[in-house]
Amino acid sequence: MFDQVEAFCRPASVPEALRLLQRGKGKARIIAGGTDLVVAGADDVRILIDITRAGLNYIRRKPSGLAIGAATTLAEIEESDLLRKTAGAVLCRAAATCGSISNRNLATVGGNLANASPAADMATPLLVLEASAVVADARGRRKLPLAEYLAGAPGGRFSNAILVEIVFPAPPGGKHCGWSFQKLGRTAVDIALVSVAAGLRLDSTGRVKQARLALGAVAPAALRMTAAERCLEGRLADAALIAEAAAEVERAVQPISDIRASAEYRREMSAVLTTRALRECIAAAGGSL
């Protein structure tokens, strides 16, 4: 599959990896677990740059929230004690759906996002956690909203940059907060036909104080459902509200038909999975339906 590869490099730092990427003049590719790049293949690749020893494998607290290094494997996210105590373990739950065990032992969160698939399993929970992507290039490091990174990745906007870290603020917690991740695939190890991540914070009267909702595999990139969030906030969390929000999602998504499912099926299942996610959030937040 990589018969044309002429060099395999394993830099010990991000600056070294960036120098190698620049020298590749468009023929170099960043690799970590390799689970996406190997499947996609690439006849123009001449240099592979393995960043698994560049200091990007960690899950840690920061004064402003949490940080996950781009080379952190999905298995490590799935098993992280820190993430199990964060936002209802929504990141752990999403990571646990990313293919087989052997795949999760290799695949990294950075690769999952940088591959720019609209079905990336880690994208939706990170969007509801209001995550940012930290990218490094010749000019240094900069932080940008994850949604902006996901929108720019397919067009090669970051082809000369390396995704080094994902950061997000400490999410709200307590008995009035609930989180959910829902995924529909043809099999347990297949990519998503539709995925939904949600987070709700209720007040003491059962009204939605804060709503976060994101869907994957139903548009060119995973995206926040801002209209549905506005529909939810400030209102009593009941079955009628869930149905209204699910209908808003069904109108907003832009699915395609492919070998896995039709656009019509994805649209309908977007509403179904949204309903499931919101119900789970409300139950976890102490609401009643």
Side-chain angles (χ1 to χ4, degrees), residues 210-256:
Q210 184 182 68
R212 297 292 180 264
L213 184 64
L215 269 77
V218 292
L223 73 166
R224 284 271 295 272
M225 294 283 116
T226 54
E229 291 173 357
R230 290 193 297 269
C231 168
L232 289 162
E233 290 180 342
R235 300 174 63 187
L236 184 66
D238 58 15
L241 182 61
I242 290 175
E244 188 176 335
E248 183 61 48
V249 165
E250 193 169 1
R251 288 191 292 270
V253 295
Q254 304 167 11
I256 62 169

Side-chain angles (χ1 to χ4, degrees), residues 51-52 54-60 68-73 76 108 164:
I51 60 168
T52 56
L56 300 178
N57 186 321
Y58 53 83
I59 301 168
R60 60 175 68 129
I68 304 175
T72 305
T73 69
E76 289 167 330
T108 63
V164 295

Side-chain angles (χ1 to χ4, degrees), residues 115-224:
N115 188 44
S117 168
D121 292 313
M122 300 308 297
T124 51
L126 285 167
L127 284 171
V128 299
L129 289 170
E130 302 191 310
S132 297
V134 179
V135 298
D137 59 19
R139 297 172 294 174
R141 296 192 180 198
R142 66 188 189 277
K143 184 171 74 171
L144 61 156
L146 180 60
E148 183 180 340
Y149 177 82
L150 294 173
R157 176 182 167 192
F158 303 106
S159 59
N160 293 318
I162 299 174
L163 175 62
V164 295
E165 187 178 66
I166 304 298
V167 296
F168 56 91
K175 63 181 181 179
H176 293 305
C177 290
W179 304 85
S180 180
F181 178 77
Q182 304 286 328
K183 176 180 174 179
L184 173 67
R186 295 181 303 176
T187 68
V189 297
D190 198 9
I191 66 172
L193 301 176
V194 179
S195 65
V196 176
L200 291 182
R201 182 155 58 112
L202 307 184
D203 65 18
S204 58
T205 68
R207 293 183 176 273
V208 179
K209 192 172 183 178
Q210 184 182 68
R212 297 292 180 264
L213 184 64
L215 269 77
V218 292
L223 73 166
R224 284 271 295 272

